[in-house]
């Protein structure tokens, strides 16, 4: 029976490797990617970008007294940002180059 | 208590009322605040009493405390990198607070404080202020380059920059809506099916047999809600980590 710490940790590492318990670090901590999860996330991203766009537009309009022009502009910007957010969902901005 | 007349009161469970009698009423201490305090106390108790033995072979509580610590530590290091360790306390606190809020909310008579947009948005706003402050502190003026990707044609700047700013500002909104919507939807469904149980049970002789169906659905839903409770806390924490990664490694 070997009972010093190093041999134990070595044997533990071997056993874990054999059972496939140690996943490579890069695979850990991914977002859940079921179809419902992705769909819900995409919906939330679009809605929140629209909320920000419309909210900013209404605020600026009230401040500058230009109703409804900035509202219209920022509505379109919000929609574009929503599409951008969904695009980011599938192609993360910095995902390609993890250092 | 749910079926008043024949109506289903699915949203009454989210109403705030003050607790602790006149003292609570005077300072506006609601059941939401009460459960926040309980959650905070349980988290501190778990970490303090769980780690008190500090045994080589951990007991049950110590295993739980160590698993929670290791889980978030792995996540922070994998997402942000080694230099992201300094954000560990923030992410860990955020994760445990949301997780305990979601889980406590599943107990009968408990209140789910994460089902209020005011709370989730405040948490998301904290994350947003932190990531903005971190990227300005680390990168200074280069932070503005975040809103205009390198290599894009300069004449597109008037379009790209506002869109990127709106996209950046939408982060706290999407972060808070996701958590809030999941918790509200789950609890509304539980309440609706629980009301069906009561309503169908009143259908005379066959009532008790018919009402077994929504009861079975509710049993499955509770299991599903435990999953959602963990998953949403996890998603909130990992998105915080991803945003922190963006803030630390700007381009």
């Amino acid at each position: 029976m070997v009972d010093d710490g190093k041999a134990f940790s070595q044997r533990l590492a071997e056993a874990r490797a054999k059972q496939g318990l140690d996943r490579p670090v890069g695979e850990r901590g991914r977002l859940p990617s079921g179809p419902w999860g992705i769909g819900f996330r995409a919906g939330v991203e679009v809605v929140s970008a629209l909320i920000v766009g419309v909210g900013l537009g209404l605020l600026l309009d009230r401040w500058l007294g230009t109703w409804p022009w900035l509202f219209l502009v920022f509505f379109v910007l919000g929609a574009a940002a929503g599409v951008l957010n969904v695009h980011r969902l599938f192609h993360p901005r910095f995902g390609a180059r993890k250092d | 208590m749910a079926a008043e007349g024949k109506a289903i009161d699915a949203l009454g469970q989210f109403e705030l009322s003050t607790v602790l009698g006149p003292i609570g009423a005077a300072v506006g201490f609601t059941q939401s605040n009460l459960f926040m305090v309980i959650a905070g106390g349980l988290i501190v108790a778990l970490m303090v009493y769980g780690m008190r033995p500090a045994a080589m072979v951990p007991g049950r509580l110590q295993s739980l405390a160590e698993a929670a610590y290791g889980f978030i530590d792995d996540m922070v290091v994998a997402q942000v990198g080694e230099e992201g360790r300094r954000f560990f306390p923030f992410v860990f606190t955020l994760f445990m607070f949301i997780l305990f809020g979601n889980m406590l909310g599943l107990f009968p008579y408990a209140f789910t404080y994460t089902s209020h947009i005011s709370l989730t948005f405040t948490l998301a706003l904290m994350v947003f202020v932190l990531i903005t402050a971190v990227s300005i502190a680390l990168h200074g003026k280069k932070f503005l380059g975040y809103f205009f990707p390198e290599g894009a044609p300069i004449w597109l700047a008037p379009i790209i920059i506002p869109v990127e700013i709106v996209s950046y500002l939408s982060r706290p909104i999407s972060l808070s809506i996701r958590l809030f919507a999941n918790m509200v939807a789950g609890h509304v469904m539980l309440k609706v099916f629980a009301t069906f149980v009561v309503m169908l049970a009143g259908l005379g002789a066959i009532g008790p047999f018919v009402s077994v169906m929504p009861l079975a659905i509710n049993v499955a839903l509770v299991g599903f809600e435990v999953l959602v409770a963990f998953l949403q806390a996890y998603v909130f924490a990992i998105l915080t980590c991803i945003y922190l990664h963006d803030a630390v490694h700007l381009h």
Side-chain angles (χ1 to χ4, degrees), chain A residues 25 28-32 40-41 44-45 48-49 51-53 56 77-78 80-81 84-85 88 93-94 97 99, chain B residues 74 78-79 146 162-164 166-167 169-170 173-174 177-178 181-182 231 234-235 238-239 242 245-246 249 251:
Chain A
V25 178
R28 263 182 219 160
R30 283 286 157 79
L31 279 167
F40 185 72
R41 278 199 68 196
V44 169
E45 295 288 354
S48 54
I51 288 175
V52 172
L56 266 183
L77 285 179
L84 182 72
N85 280 348
R88 292 264 160 80
R93 190 166 179 164
F94 303 100
R97 36 180 306 243
D99 23 31
Chain B
D74 276 356
Q79 292 295 330
Y146 186 84
V163 169
E164 287 280 1
V166 171
S167 168
L169 290 177
S170 76
I173 312 263
S174 66
I177 287 182
R178 192 174 303 116
N182 269 290
L231 205 64
Y234 172 72
V235 166
I238 200 162
L239 281 174
I242 291 174
H245 172 89
D246 285 6
H249 310 271
H251 288 288

Side-chain angles (χ1 to χ4, degrees), chain A residues 52-54 56-57 60 69-79, chain B residues 162 166:
Chain A
V52 172
V54 169
L56 266 183
L60 287 175
W69 300 109
L70 285 178
F71 166 72
L72 293 175
V73 170
F74 274 88
F75 182 82
V76 174
L77 285 179
Chain B
V166 171

Side-chain angles (χ1 to χ4, degrees), chain B residues 80-102:
Chain B
V80 192
E82 202 57 47
E83 67 271 42
R85 275 256 162 76
R86 69 182 107 159
F87 301 113
F88 171 79
F90 178 71
V91 179
F92 185 73
T93 312
L94 211 54
F95 173 77
M96 292 302 266
F97 186 64
I98 295 171
L99 179 69
F100 273 66
N102 294 350

